Structure formats: C-alpha cells, structure tokens
Amino acid sequence: MGTSWPAAQIGLAYRAGLEKRSTELVTLLNHFKIENQQSVVMLAKLQSGQTAEDIANEWIESHQNTILEWLTGFNLPQKDKQ
C-alpha cells in the first residue's frame, strides 16, 4: 500500500507551560515518531471506515515497547508488531 505523496515530517508543538504540568507528556511528545508506512496503513483503515479511536488503540496495543521507549529513553528489544 502506498501513496503518491512524498514522505512528510509531522512536528508536534505544545505550550511552554506544559513542561511544568506534565514532564512525562513532554518527554513522550519530544520522542514521538511514527514511520510513514505506518501512517499510510492508518489512513487506509480510516478510509475503510474504522474510527480514529479504534485505529489509535490498536496501534498503542501493538507498540507498547515503542511507547515505553518514548517515555523513558530505555530501548527494549523490539517485539512490537509492525
């Protein structure tokens, strides 16, 4: 599955005061990265009628190690499903 659009970088922005309120969330946002191919798969699921919430929950469930790494910086052996 592919797209005719070139690969894109999506940047996240947040209010400076967030760091004082939630350092864990800022750490996660600073490390957040989803590969282009994963984004294409998610968009295809969205176009086929799946809800954004279901797609996100499915991705979160199958990428626990990635999220843990984003939060801690600790790299576990990859067991995530791509």
Side-chain angles (χ1 to χ4, degrees), residues 25-45:
L25 180 56
V26 170
T27 299
L28 180 127
L29 293 174
N30 285 338
H31 293 98
F32 178 85
K33 178 181 178 184
I34 293 181
E35 298 296 330
N36 190 54
Q37 183 60 31
Q38 292 174 349
S39 296
V40 169
V41 169
M42 286 185 226
L43 286 171
K45 289 179 180 183

Side-chain angles (χ1 to χ4, degrees), residues 13 18 36 38 53 55-56 64-66 71 73 75 78:
L18 182 62
N36 190 54
Q38 292 174 349
E53 183 177 6
I55 295 166
Q64 295 292 309
N65 287 349
T66 299
L71 287 168
N75 189 351
Q78 288 299 320

Side-chain angles (χ1 to χ4, degrees), residues 45-81:
K45 289 179 180 183
L46 192 60
Q47 289 178 337
S48 72
Q50 255 187 288
T51 68
E53 183 177 6
D54 287 343
I55 295 166
N57 286 334
E58 180 182 293
W59 190 92
I60 290 167
E61 182 64 32
S62 64
H63 291 83
Q64 295 292 309
N65 287 349
T66 299
I67 296 167
L68 184 61
E69 183 179 341
W70 291 346
L71 287 168
T72 65
F74 185 73
N75 189 351
L76 296 172
Q78 288 299 320
K79 293 183 181 178
D80 291 344
K81 301 173 196 166

